[in-house]
Coordinates of all heavy atoms in Angstrom, one line a residue:
M871 N 11.7 -1.2 -14.0 CA 10.8 -0.8 -12.9 C 10.1 -2.0 -12.4 O 9.6 -2.8 -13.2 CB 9.8 0.3 -13.3 CG 10.5 1.6 -13.6 SD 9.3 3.0 -13.6 CE 8.5 2.7 -15.2
P872 N 10.0 -2.2 -11.1 CA 9.3 -3.4 -10.6 C 7.8 -3.3 -10.9 O 7.2 -2.3 -10.9 CB 9.5 -3.3 -9.1 CG 9.9 -1.9 -8.8 CD 10.6 -1.4 -10.0
K873 N 7.3 -4.5 -11.2 CA 5.8 -4.6 -11.4 C 5.1 -5.0 -10.1 O 5.6 -5.9 -9.4 CB 5.5 -5.7 -12.5 CG 6.0 -5.2 -13.9 CD 5.5 -6.2 -14.9 CE 5.8 -5.7 -16.3 NZ 7.3 -5.4 -16.6
I874 N 4.1 -4.3 -9.8 CA 3.4 -4.6 -8.5 C 1.9 -4.8 -8.9 O 1.3 -4.1 -9.7 CB 3.5 -3.3 -7.6 CG1 5.0 -3.2 -7.2 CG2 2.6 -3.5 -6.4 CD1 5.4 -2.0 -6.4
H875 N 1.3 -5.8 -8.2 CA -0.1 -6.2 -8.4 C -0.9 -5.5 -7.4 O -0.7 -5.7 -6.2 CB -0.2 -7.7 -8.3 CG 0.7 -8.5 -9.3 ND1 0.2 -9.1 -10.4 CD2 2.1 -8.6 -9.3 CE1 1.2 -9.7 -11.0 NE2 2.4 -9.4 -10.4
V876 N -1.9 -4.7 -7.9 CA -2.8 -4.0 -7.0 C -4.2 -4.4 -7.3 O -4.7 -4.2 -8.4 CB -2.6 -2.5 -7.2 CG1 -3.5 -1.7 -6.3 CG2 -1.1 -2.0 -7.1
T877 N -4.9 -4.9 -6.2 CA -6.3 -5.2 -6.4 C -7.1 -4.1 -5.8 O -6.9 -3.6 -4.7 CB -6.6 -6.5 -5.6 OG1 -5.8 -7.6 -6.2 CG2 -8.1 -6.9 -5.8
D878 N -8.1 -3.6 -6.7 CA -8.9 -2.5 -6.2 C -10.2 -3.0 -5.5 O -10.4 -4.2 -5.3 CB -9.2 -1.6 -7.4 CG -10.1 -2.2 -8.5 OD1 -10.8 -3.2 -8.2 OD2 -10.2 -1.7 -9.6
W879 N -11.1 -2.0 -5.2 CA -12.3 -2.4 -4.4 C -13.2 -3.3 -5.2 O -13.9 -4.1 -4.5 CB -13.0 -1.1 -4.1 CG -12.4 -0.2 -3.1 CD1 -11.4 -0.6 -2.2 CD2 -12.7 1.1 -2.8 NE1 -11.0 0.5 -1.4 CE2 -11.8 1.6 -1.8 CE3 -13.6 2.1 -3.4 CZ2 -11.8 2.9 -1.3 CZ3 -13.6 3.3 -2.9 CH2 -12.7 3.7 -1.8
S880 N -13.2 -3.3 -6.5 CA -14.0 -4.2 -7.2 C -13.5 -5.6 -7.4 O -14.1 -6.5 -7.9 CB -14.3 -3.6 -8.7 OG -13.1 -3.8 -9.4
G881 N -12.2 -5.8 -6.9 CA -11.6 -7.1 -7.0 C -10.8 -7.2 -8.3 O -10.2 -8.3 -8.5
T882 N -10.7 -6.2 -9.1 CA -9.9 -6.2 -10.3 C -8.4 -6.0 -9.9 O -8.1 -5.1 -9.1 CB -10.3 -5.0 -11.2 OG1 -11.7 -5.2 -11.5 CG2 -9.5 -5.0 -12.5
E883 N -7.6 -6.9 -10.5 CA -6.1 -6.7 -10.3 C -5.5 -5.9 -11.4 O -5.7 -6.2 -12.6 CB -5.5 -8.1 -10.2 CG -4.0 -8.0 -9.8 CD -3.3 -9.4 -9.8 OE1 -3.5 -10.0 -8.7 OE2 -2.7 -9.8 -10.7
H884 N -4.7 -4.9 -11.0 CA -4.0 -4.1 -11.9 C -2.5 -4.4 -11.7 O -2.0 -4.5 -10.6 CB -4.2 -2.6 -11.6 CG -5.6 -2.2 -11.5 ND1 -6.2 -1.5 -12.6 CD2 -6.5 -2.3 -10.6 CE1 -7.5 -1.3 -12.2 NE2 -7.7 -1.7 -11.0
V885 N -1.8 -4.6 -12.8 CA -0.3 -4.7 -12.7 C 0.3 -3.4 -13.1 O 0.1 -3.0 -14.3 CB 0.2 -5.9 -13.6 CG1 1.7 -6.0 -13.5 CG2 -0.5 -7.2 -13.3
I886 N 0.9 -2.8 -12.2 CA 1.5 -1.4 -12.4 C 3.0 -1.5 -12.4 O 3.6 -2.3 -11.7 CB 0.9 -0.4 -11.4 CG1 1.5 -0.7 -10.0 CG2 -0.6 -0.4 -11.4 CD1 1.2 0.5 -9.0
E887 N 3.6 -0.5 -13.1 CA 5.0 -0.4 -13.0 C 5.3 0.8 -12.0 O 4.7 1.9 -12.2 CB 5.6 -0.1 -14.4 CG 5.5 -1.3 -15.3 CD 6.5 -1.1 -16.5 OE1 6.8 0.0 -16.9 OE2 6.8 -2.2 -17.1
A888 N 6.2 0.5 -11.1 CA 6.4 1.5 -10.0 C 7.8 2.0 -10.1 O 8.8 1.2 -10.2 CB 6.2 0.9 -8.7
R889 N 8.0 3.3 -10.1 CA 9.3 3.9 -10.2 C 10.1 3.8 -8.9 O 9.6 4.3 -7.9 CB 9.2 5.4 -10.7 CG 10.6 6.0 -11.0 CD 10.3 7.4 -11.5 NE 9.5 7.5 -12.7 CZ 10.0 7.2 -13.9 NH1 11.3 6.9 -14.1 NH2 9.2 7.2 -15.0
P890 N 11.3 3.2 -8.9 CA 12.1 3.2 -7.6 C 12.3 4.6 -7.1 O 12.6 5.5 -7.9 CB 13.3 2.4 -8.1 CG 12.9 1.6 -9.2 CD 11.9 2.4 -9.9
G891 N 12.3 4.7 -5.8 CA 12.5 6.0 -5.2 C 11.2 6.8 -4.9 O 11.2 7.7 -4.1
T892 N 10.1 6.3 -5.5 CA 8.8 6.9 -5.2 C 8.2 6.0 -4.1 O 8.7 5.0 -3.7 CB 7.9 7.0 -6.4 OG1 7.6 5.7 -6.8 CG2 8.5 7.8 -7.5
S893 N 7.0 6.5 -3.6 CA 6.3 5.6 -2.6 C 5.4 4.7 -3.4 O 5.0 5.0 -4.5 CB 5.6 6.5 -1.6 OG 4.5 7.1 -2.2
L894 N 5.0 3.7 -2.7 CA 4.0 2.8 -3.3 C 2.7 3.6 -3.6 O 2.0 3.4 -4.6 CB 3.7 1.6 -2.4 CG 2.7 0.6 -2.9 CD1 2.9 0.0 -4.3 CD2 2.5 -0.5 -1.9
M895 N 2.3 4.4 -2.6 CA 1.1 5.3 -2.8 C 1.2 6.1 -4.1 O 0.3 6.1 -4.9 CB 0.9 6.2 -1.6 CG -0.2 7.2 -1.7 SD 0.2 8.7 -2.6 CE 1.1 9.6 -1.4
E896 N 2.3 6.7 -4.3 CA 2.5 7.5 -5.5 C 2.4 6.7 -6.8 O 1.8 7.1 -7.8 CB 3.9 8.3 -5.5 CG 3.9 9.3 -4.4 CD 5.3 9.9 -4.2 OE1 6.3 9.1 -4.2 OE2 5.5 11.1 -4.1
A897 N 3.0 5.5 -6.7 CA 2.9 4.6 -7.9 C 1.5 4.2 -8.2 O 1.1 4.2 -9.4 CB 3.8 3.4 -7.6
I898 N 0.7 3.9 -7.2 CA -0.7 3.5 -7.4 C -1.5 4.7 -7.9 O -2.3 4.6 -8.9 CB -1.3 3.0 -6.1 CG1 -0.6 1.7 -5.7 CG2 -2.8 2.8 -6.2 CD1 -1.0 1.2 -4.3
K899 N -1.3 5.9 -7.4 CA -2.0 7.1 -7.9 C -1.6 7.4 -9.3 O -2.4 7.7 -10.2 CB -1.6 8.3 -7.0 CG -2.1 8.2 -5.6 CD -3.6 8.3 -5.4 CE -4.0 9.8 -5.6 NZ -5.5 9.9 -5.4
H900 N -0.3 7.2 -9.6 CA 0.2 7.5 -11.0 C -0.4 6.6 -12.0 O -0.6 6.9 -13.1 CB 1.7 7.4 -11.0 CG 2.4 7.8 -12.3 ND1 2.4 9.1 -12.7 CD2 2.9 7.0 -13.3 CE1 3.0 9.1 -13.9 NE2 3.3 7.9 -14.3
A901 N -0.7 5.4 -11.5 CA -1.3 4.4 -12.4 C -2.8 4.6 -12.7 O -3.4 4.0 -13.5 CB -1.1 3.0 -11.8
G902 N -3.3 5.6 -11.9 CA -4.7 6.0 -12.2 C -5.8 5.2 -11.4 O -6.9 5.2 -11.8
I903 N -5.3 4.5 -10.4 CA -6.3 3.7 -9.6 C -6.9 4.6 -8.6 O -6.3 5.1 -7.6 CB -5.6 2.5 -9.0 CG1 -4.9 1.6 -10.0 CG2 -6.6 1.7 -8.1 CD1 -4.0 0.5 -9.5
A904 N -8.2 4.9 -8.8 CA -8.9 6.0 -8.0 C -9.3 5.6 -6.6 O -9.6 6.5 -5.8 CB -10.1 6.5 -8.8
D905 N -9.3 4.3 -6.3 CA -9.8 3.9 -5.0 C -8.8 4.3 -3.8 O -9.3 4.4 -2.7 CB -9.9 2.4 -4.9 CG -11.0 1.9 -5.9 OD1 -11.8 2.7 -6.3 OD2 -11.0 0.7 -6.1
L906 N -7.6 4.7 -4.2 CA -6.7 5.1 -3.1 C -6.7 6.6 -3.0 O -6.2 7.3 -3.9 CB -5.3 4.6 -3.5 CG -4.3 4.6 -2.3 CD1 -4.5 3.3 -1.5 CD2 -2.9 4.6 -2.8
A907 N -7.4 7.1 -2.0 CA -7.5 8.6 -1.9 C -6.2 9.3 -1.5 O -5.9 10.3 -2.1 CB -8.6 8.9 -0.8
A908 N -5.5 8.8 -0.6 CA -4.2 9.4 -0.2 C -4.4 10.9 0.0 O -3.6 11.7 -0.5 CB -3.1 9.1 -1.2
I909 N -5.3 11.3 0.9 CA -5.7 12.7 1.1 C -4.6 13.5 1.6 O -4.4 14.7 1.1 CB -6.9 12.7 2.0 CG1 -8.1 12.1 1.4 CG2 -7.2 14.2 2.5 CD1 -9.3 11.9 2.3
C910 N -3.7 13.0 2.5 CA -2.7 13.9 3.0 C -1.5 14.0 2.2 O -0.5 14.7 2.5 CB -2.3 13.4 4.4 SG -1.2 12.0 4.5
G911 N -1.4 13.3 1.1 CA -0.3 13.4 0.1 C 0.9 12.7 0.6 O 2.0 12.9 0.0
G912 N 0.8 11.9 1.6 CA 2.0 11.1 2.0 C 2.6 11.5 3.3 O 3.8 11.1 3.6
C913 N 1.9 12.3 4.0 CA 2.5 12.9 5.3 C 2.2 11.9 6.5 O 2.5 12.3 7.6 CB 1.9 14.2 5.6 SG 2.2 15.5 4.4
C914 N 1.7 10.8 6.2 CA 1.4 9.8 7.3 C 0.4 10.4 8.3 O 0.7 10.3 9.6 CB 2.7 9.3 8.0 SG 2.4 7.8 8.9
S915 N -0.6 11.0 7.8 CA -1.6 11.6 8.8 C -3.1 11.3 8.4 O -3.9 11.9 9.1 CB -1.4 13.1 8.9 OG -1.6 13.7 7.6
C916 N -3.3 10.5 7.4 CA -4.7 10.3 7.0 C -5.2 8.9 7.0 O -6.4 8.6 7.1 CB -5.0 11.0 5.6 SG -4.3 10.1 4.2
A917 N -4.3 8.0 6.7 CA -4.6 6.5 6.6 C -5.5 6.2 5.4 O -6.1 5.1 5.3 CB -5.2 6.0 7.8
T918 N -5.7 7.1 4.4 CA -6.5 6.8 3.2 C -5.6 6.2 2.1 O -6.1 6.1 1.0 CB -7.3 8.0 2.7 OG1 -6.3 9.0 2.3 CG2 -8.2 8.5 3.8
C919 N -4.4 5.8 2.4 CA -3.6 5.1 1.5 C -3.4 3.6 1.9 O -2.4 3.0 1.6 CB -2.3 5.8 1.3 SG -1.3 5.8 2.8
H920 N -4.3 3.2 2.7 CA -4.3 1.9 3.4 C -4.4 0.7 2.4 O -5.3 0.7 1.6 CB -5.4 1.9 4.4 CG -5.5 0.7 5.3 ND1 -6.5 0.6 6.3 CD2 -4.8 -0.5 5.4 CE1 -6.3 -0.5 7.0 NE2 -5.4 -1.2 6.4
V921 N -3.4 -0.2 2.5 CA -3.5 -1.4 1.7 C -3.2 -2.6 2.6 O -2.6 -2.5 3.7 CB -2.4 -1.4 0.6 CG1 -2.7 -0.3 -0.4 CG2 -1.0 -1.3 1.1
Y922 N -3.7 -3.8 2.1 CA -3.4 -5.1 2.7 C -2.3 -5.7 1.9 O -2.4 -5.9 0.7 CB -4.6 -6.0 2.8 CG -5.8 -5.4 3.5 CD1 -7.0 -5.3 3.0 CD2 -5.6 -4.9 4.9 CE1 -8.1 -4.8 3.7 CE2 -6.7 -4.4 5.6 CZ -7.9 -4.3 5.0 OH -9.0 -3.8 5.7
V923 N -1.3 -6.2 2.6 CA -0.1 -6.8 1.9 C -0.3 -8.3 1.9 O -0.7 -8.9 2.9 CB 1.2 -6.5 2.6 CG1 2.4 -7.2 2.0 CG2 1.4 -4.9 2.6
A924 N -0.1 -8.9 0.7 CA -0.2 -10.4 0.6 C 0.7 -11.1 1.6 O 1.8 -10.6 1.9 CB 0.1 -10.8 -0.8
E925 N 0.2 -12.1 2.2 CA 0.9 -12.8 3.3 C 2.3 -13.1 3.0 O 3.2 -13.0 3.8 CB 0.1 -14.1 3.6 CG -1.3 -13.9 4.1 CD -1.3 -13.3 5.5 OE1 -0.4 -13.5 6.3 OE2 -2.3 -12.6 5.8
E926 N 2.6 -13.6 1.7 CA 3.9 -14.0 1.4 C 4.9 -12.8 1.3 O 6.1 -13.0 1.3 CB 3.9 -14.8 0.1 CG 3.6 -14.0 -1.2 CD 2.1 -13.9 -1.5 OE1 1.3 -14.2 -0.6 OE2 1.8 -13.7 -2.7
W927 N 4.4 -11.6 1.4 CA 5.2 -10.4 1.3 C 5.5 -9.8 2.7 O 6.3 -8.9 2.8 CB 4.7 -9.4 0.3 CG 5.1 -9.7 -1.1 CD1 4.4 -10.5 -2.0 CD2 6.2 -9.3 -1.7 NE1 5.1 -10.5 -3.1 CE2 6.2 -9.8 -3.0 CE3 7.3 -8.4 -1.3 CZ2 7.3 -9.5 -3.9 CZ3 8.3 -8.2 -2.2 CH2 8.3 -8.7 -3.5
L928 N 4.8 -10.2 3.7 CA 4.8 -9.5 5.0 C 6.2 -9.4 5.5 O 6.6 -8.4 6.1 CB 3.9 -10.2 6.0 CG 2.4 -10.0 5.8 CD1 1.6 -10.8 6.8 CD2 2.1 -8.5 5.9
G929 N 7.0 -10.5 5.5 CA 8.3 -10.4 6.0 C 9.4 -9.8 5.1 O 10.6 -9.7 5.4
R930 N 9.0 -9.4 3.9 CA 9.9 -8.9 2.9 C 9.9 -7.4 2.7 O 10.7 -6.9 2.0 CB 9.6 -9.6 1.6 CG 9.8 -11.1 1.7 CD 9.2 -11.8 0.5 NE 9.9 -11.5 -0.8 CZ 9.5 -12.0 -1.9 NH1 8.4 -12.8 -2.0 NH2 10.1 -11.7 -3.0
L931 N 9.0 -6.8 3.4 CA 8.9 -5.3 3.4 C 9.7 -4.7 4.5 O 9.8 -5.3 5.6 CB 7.5 -4.8 3.4 CG 6.6 -5.2 2.2 CD1 5.2 -4.7 2.5 CD2 7.2 -4.7 0.9
P932 N 10.2 -3.5 4.3 CA 10.8 -2.8 5.5 C 9.8 -2.7 6.6 O 8.6 -2.5 6.4 CB 11.1 -1.4 4.9 CG 11.2 -1.6 3.4 CD 10.2 -2.6 3.1
A933 N 10.3 -2.7 7.8 CA 9.5 -2.7 9.0 C 8.7 -1.4 9.1 O 9.1 -0.3 8.6 CB 10.3 -2.9 10.3
Q934 N 7.5 -1.5 9.7 CA 6.7 -0.3 10.0 C 7.3 0.6 11.0 O 7.8 0.1 12.1 CB 5.4 -0.8 10.5 CG 4.2 -0.5 9.7 CD 2.9 -1.2 10.2 OE1 3.0 -1.9 11.2 NE2 1.8 -0.9 9.6
E935 N 7.3 1.9 10.8 CA 7.7 2.9 11.9 C 6.5 3.0 12.8 O 5.3 2.6 12.5 CB 8.0 4.2 11.3 CG 9.1 4.3 10.3 CD 10.5 4.1 11.0 OE1 10.6 4.4 12.2 OE2 11.4 3.7 10.3
E936 N 6.8 3.4 14.0 CA 5.8 3.5 15.1 C 4.6 4.4 14.7 O 3.4 4.1 14.9 CB 6.4 4.0 16.4 CG 5.5 3.9 17.6 CD 6.2 4.3 18.9 OE1 7.4 4.2 18.9 OE2 5.4 4.6 19.8
D937 N 4.9 5.6 14.0 CA 3.8 6.5 13.7 C 2.9 5.9 12.6 O 1.6 6.1 12.7 CB 4.3 7.8 13.3 CG 5.3 7.8 12.1 OD1 5.7 6.7 11.7 OD2 5.5 8.9 11.5
E938 N 3.4 5.1 11.7 CA 2.6 4.4 10.7 C 1.7 3.4 11.4 O 0.5 3.3 11.2 CB 3.4 3.7 9.6 CG 2.6 2.9 8.6 CD 3.3 2.0 7.7 OE1 4.6 2.1 7.7 OE2 2.7 1.2 7.1
Y939 N 2.3 2.6 12.3 CA 1.5 1.6 13.0 C 0.4 2.2 13.8 O -0.8 1.8 13.8 CB 2.4 0.7 13.9 CG 1.6 -0.2 14.8 CD1 1.0 -1.4 14.2 CD2 1.3 0.1 16.1 CE1 0.3 -2.2 15.0 CE2 0.5 -0.8 16.9 CZ 0.0 -1.9 16.3 OH -0.8 -2.7 17.1
D940 N 0.7 3.3 14.5 CA -0.3 4.0 15.4 C -1.5 4.4 14.5 O -2.6 4.3 15.0 CB 0.3 5.2 16.1 CG 1.3 4.7 17.2 OD1 1.3 3.5 17.6 OD2 2.0 5.6 17.7
L941 N -1.2 5.0 13.4 CA -2.3 5.5 12.5 C -3.1 4.4 11.9 O -4.3 4.4 12.0 CB -1.6 6.4 11.4 CG -2.6 7.2 10.5 CD1 -3.4 8.1 11.4 CD2 -1.8 8.0 9.5
V942 N -2.5 3.4 11.3 CA -3.2 2.4 10.6 C -3.9 1.5 11.6 O -5.0 1.0 11.3 CB -2.3 1.6 9.6 CG1 -1.4 0.7 10.3 CG2 -3.2 0.9 8.6
S943 N -3.3 1.2 12.7 CA -4.0 0.3 13.7 C -5.2 0.9 14.3 O -6.0 0.2 15.0 CB -3.0 -0.2 14.7 OG -2.5 0.9 15.5
D944 N -5.3 2.2 14.2 CA -6.5 2.9 14.8 C -7.7 2.9 13.8 O -8.8 3.4 14.2 CB -6.1 4.3 15.1 CG -7.0 4.9 16.2 OD1 -7.4 4.2 17.1 OD2 -7.2 6.1 16.1
T945 N -7.6 2.3 12.6 CA -8.7 2.3 11.7 C -9.6 1.1 12.0 O -9.1 0.1 12.5 CB -8.2 2.2 10.2 OG1 -7.5 1.0 10.0 CG2 -7.2 3.4 9.9
E946 N -10.8 1.2 11.6 CA -11.8 0.1 11.8 C -11.5 -1.1 10.9 O -12.0 -2.2 11.2 CB -13.2 0.6 11.6 CG -13.6 1.7 12.6 CD -15.0 2.2 12.4 OE1 -15.7 1.7 11.5 OE2 -15.4 3.1 13.1
V947 N -10.8 -0.9 9.9 CA -10.6 -2.0 8.9 C -9.1 -2.5 9.0 O -8.6 -3.1 8.1 CB -10.9 -1.5 7.5 CG1 -12.4 -1.3 7.3 CG2 -10.1 -0.3 7.1
Y948 N -8.5 -2.2 10.1 CA -7.1 -2.7 10.4 C -7.0 -4.2 10.4 O -7.9 -4.9 11.0 CB -6.6 -2.1 11.7 CG -5.3 -2.7 12.1 CD1 -4.1 -2.3 11.4 CD2 -5.2 -3.7 13.1 CE1 -2.9 -2.8 11.8 CE2 -3.9 -4.2 13.4 CZ -2.8 -3.8 12.7 OH -1.6 -4.4 13.1
R949 N -6.0 -4.7 9.8 CA -5.7 -6.2 9.9 C -4.2 -6.3 10.1 O -3.4 -5.3 10.0 CB -6.0 -6.9 8.5 CG -7.4 -6.9 8.1 CD -7.5 -7.6 6.8 NE -8.8 -7.5 6.2 CZ -9.1 -7.9 4.9 NH1 -8.2 -8.4 4.2 NH2 -10.3 -7.7 4.4
A950 N -3.8 -7.5 10.5 CA -2.4 -7.7 10.8 C -1.5 -7.4 9.6 O -0.3 -7.1 9.7 CB -2.1 -9.1 11.3
N951 N -2.0 -7.5 8.4 CA -1.2 -7.2 7.2 C -1.5 -5.8 6.6 O -1.2 -5.6 5.4 CB -1.5 -8.3 6.1 CG -2.9 -8.3 5.6 OD1 -3.8 -7.9 6.3 ND2 -3.2 -8.9 4.5
S952 N -2.0 -4.9 7.4 CA -2.2 -3.6 7.0 C -0.9 -2.8 6.9 O 0.0 -2.9 7.8 CB -3.1 -2.8 8.0 OG -4.4 -3.3 7.9
R953 N -0.8 -2.0 5.9 CA 0.3 -1.0 5.7 C -0.3 0.3 5.1 O -1.3 0.3 4.4 CB 1.4 -1.5 4.8 CG 2.2 -2.7 5.4 CD 3.0 -2.4 6.6 NE 3.9 -1.2 6.5 CZ 5.2 -1.4 6.3 NH1 5.8 -2.6 6.2 NH2 6.0 -0.3 6.2
L954 N 0.4 1.4 5.3 CA 0.1 2.6 4.7 C 1.1 2.7 3.5 O 2.3 2.7 3.6 CB 0.3 3.8 5.6 CG -0.7 3.8 6.8 CD1 -0.4 5.1 7.7 CD2 -2.1 3.8 6.3
S955 N 0.5 2.8 2.3 CA 1.3 2.7 1.1 C 2.2 3.9 0.9 O 3.3 3.8 0.2 CB 0.5 2.4 -0.2 OG -0.5 3.5 -0.3
C956 N 1.9 5.0 1.5 CA 2.8 6.1 1.4 C 4.1 6.0 2.2 O 5.1 6.7 2.0 CB 2.1 7.4 1.8 SG 1.8 7.6 3.6
Q957 N 4.1 5.0 3.0 CA 5.3 4.7 3.9 C 6.2 3.6 3.4 O 7.1 3.2 4.0 CB 4.9 4.5 5.3 CG 4.1 5.6 5.9 CD 4.9 6.9 5.9 OE1 6.0 7.0 6.5 NE2 4.3 7.9 5.3
I958 N 5.8 3.1 2.2 CA 6.6 2.0 1.6 C 7.3 2.6 0.4 O 6.7 3.0 -0.6 CB 5.7 0.8 1.1 CG1 5.0 0.2 2.4 CG2 6.5 -0.2 0.4 CD1 3.9 -0.8 2.0
E959 N 8.7 2.6 0.4 CA 9.4 3.1 -0.7 C 9.6 2.0 -1.7 O 9.9 0.8 -1.4 CB 10.8 3.6 -0.2 CG 11.6 4.1 -1.4 CD 13.0 4.6 -0.9 OE1 13.3 4.7 0.3 OE2 13.8 4.9 -1.8
V960 N 9.4 2.4 -3.0 CA 9.5 1.4 -4.1 C 11.0 1.2 -4.3 O 11.8 2.1 -4.5 CB 8.9 1.9 -5.4 CG1 9.2 1.0 -6.5 CG2 7.4 2.1 -5.2
T961 N 11.4 -0.1 -4.4 CA 12.7 -0.5 -4.8 C 12.6 -1.7 -5.7 O 11.5 -2.3 -5.8 CB 13.6 -1.0 -3.6 OG1 13.0 -2.2 -3.0 CG2 13.7 0.1 -2.5
D962 N 13.6 -2.1 -6.4 CA 13.6 -3.2 -7.3 C 13.2 -4.5 -6.5 O 12.7 -5.4 -7.1 CB 14.9 -3.4 -8.0 CG 15.1 -2.3 -9.1 OD1 14.1 -1.7 -9.6 OD2 16.3 -2.0 -9.4
A963 N 13.5 -4.5 -5.2 CA 13.1 -5.7 -4.4 C 11.6 -5.9 -4.3 O 11.2 -7.0 -3.9 CB 13.7 -5.6 -3.0
L964 N 10.8 -5.0 -4.7 CA 9.4 -5.1 -4.6 C 8.8 -5.8 -5.9 O 7.6 -5.9 -6.0 CB 8.7 -3.8 -4.4 CG 9.0 -3.0 -3.1 CD1 8.1 -1.9 -2.9 CD2 9.0 -4.0 -1.9
E965 N 9.6 -6.2 -6.8 CA 9.1 -6.9 -8.0 C 8.1 -8.0 -7.6 O 8.5 -8.9 -6.8 CB 10.3 -7.5 -8.8 CG 9.9 -8.4 -10.0 CD 9.2 -7.6 -11.1 OE1 9.5 -6.5 -11.4 OE2 8.2 -8.2 -11.7
G966 N 6.9 -7.9 -8.1 CA 5.9 -9.0 -7.8 C 5.1 -8.8 -6.6 O 4.2 -9.6 -6.3
L967 N 5.3 -7.7 -5.9 CA 4.5 -7.4 -4.6 C 3.1 -7.4 -5.0 O 2.6 -6.9 -6.0 CB 4.9 -6.0 -4.1 CG 4.1 -5.5 -2.9 CD1 4.3 -6.3 -1.7 CD2 4.5 -4.0 -2.7
R968 N 2.3 -7.9 -4.0 CA 0.8 -7.9 -4.2 C 0.2 -7.2 -3.0 O 0.4 -7.6 -1.9 CB 0.3 -9.4 -4.2 CG 0.7 -10.1 -5.5 CD 0.1 -11.5 -5.5 NE 0.6 -12.2 -6.7 CZ 0.1 -12.1 -7.9 NH1 -1.0 -11.4 -8.1 NH2 0.6 -12.8 -8.9
V969 N -0.7 -6.2 -3.3 CA -1.4 -5.5 -2.3 C -2.9 -5.4 -2.7 O -3.2 -5.4 -3.9 CB -0.8 -4.1 -2.0 CG1 0.6 -4.2 -1.5 CG2 -0.9 -3.2 -3.2
T970 N -3.7 -5.2 -1.8 CA -5.1 -5.0 -2.0 C -5.5 -3.7 -1.3 O -5.1 -3.5 -0.1 CB -6.0 -6.1 -1.4 OG1 -5.6 -7.3 -2.1 CG2 -7.5 -5.8 -1.6
I971 N -6.2 -2.8 -2.0 CA -6.6 -1.5 -1.4 C -7.7 -1.8 -0.4 O -8.7 -2.4 -0.6 CB -7.1 -0.5 -2.5 CG1 -5.9 -0.2 -3.5 CG2 -7.6 0.8 -1.8 CD1 -6.3 0.6 -4.6
A972 N -7.4 -1.3 0.9 CA -8.4 -1.5 2.0 C -9.7 -0.7 1.7 O -9.6 0.4 1.1 CB -7.7 -1.1 3.3
P973 N -10.8 -1.2 2.2 CA -12.0 -0.4 2.0 C -12.0 0.8 2.9 O -11.3 1.0 3.8 CB -13.1 -1.4 2.5 CG -12.4 -2.3 3.5 CD -11.0 -2.4 2.9
E974 N -12.9 1.8 2.5 CA -13.1 3.0 3.3 C -13.7 2.6 4.6 O -14.5 1.7 4.7 CB -13.9 4.0 2.5 CG -13.2 4.7 1.4 CD -14.1 5.8 0.8 OE1 -15.3 5.5 0.5 OE2 -13.7 6.9 0.6
E975 N -13.4 3.4 5.6 CA -14.1 3.1 6.9 C -15.5 3.6 6.9 O -15.9 4.5 6.2 CB -13.3 3.9 8.0 CG -11.9 3.3 8.2 CD -11.3 3.9 9.4 OE1 -11.6 3.4 10.5 OE2 -10.6 4.9 9.3
Ligands
LIG1449 S1 -1.4 9.4 2.1 FE1 -2.1 10.0 4.1 S2 -1.2 8.5 5.4 FE2 -0.6 7.8 3.5

């Protein structure tokens, strides 16, 4: 299982193992990192699974769908490297991915 580096709101970095076929949001929740609310459960309707992707990974993730972009870009804490973690499927290609959980609005 790929190891993914997740930085929480306190700045602590967690190295989690993510099961391929699940979403990055599910992997972060499964690891017990409470800062990711993911209220809608992955339906792409809440934006509380918002993460910032490390610059070196931006071109290596599958492209954003329009509905993901519309939702995340409407948040006050949107950045160019914002993604919704429920919309990122875990694959072995994500080994070493680094993300930071975005602050609450
Ligand atoms: S969990 Fe709600 S948009 Fe990702």
Side-chain angles (χ1 to χ4, degrees):
M871 292 198 284
K873 291 186 174 57
I874 294 174
H875 302 252
V876 180
T877 300
D878 68 18
W879 289 343
S880 74
T882 301
E883 184 181 281
H884 307 259
V885 181
I886 68 170
E887 291 198 336
R889 185 176 301 281
T892 65
S893 71
L894 178 57
M895 175 275 281
E896 291 170 316
I898 294 171
K899 297 286 284 182
H900 185 72
I903 301 173
D905 293 345
L906 200 80
I909 291 169
C910 79
C913 299
C914 199
S915 62
C916 72
T918 61
C919 64
H920 185 175
V921 297
Y922 300 128
V923 175
E925 296 292 330
E926 67 270 22
W927 275 90
L928 284 177
R930 298 167 64 184
L931 294 179
Q934 246 173 352
E935 297 287 340
E936 191 175 336
D937 57 347
E938 178 191 347
Y939 174 76
D940 288 348
L941 187 60
V942 74
S943 65
D944 203 35
T945 65
E946 292 178 8
V947 291
Y948 172 75
R949 296 181 190 167
N951 61 339
S952 289
R953 292 295 304 261
L954 296 180
S955 59
C956 72
Q957 300 302 300
I958 298 173
E959 182 180 349
V960 174
T961 66
D962 288 334
L964 298 192
E965 172 68 38
L967 172 66
R968 292 181 183 277
V969 299
T970 298
I971 299 175
E974 281 185 314
E975 292 190 82

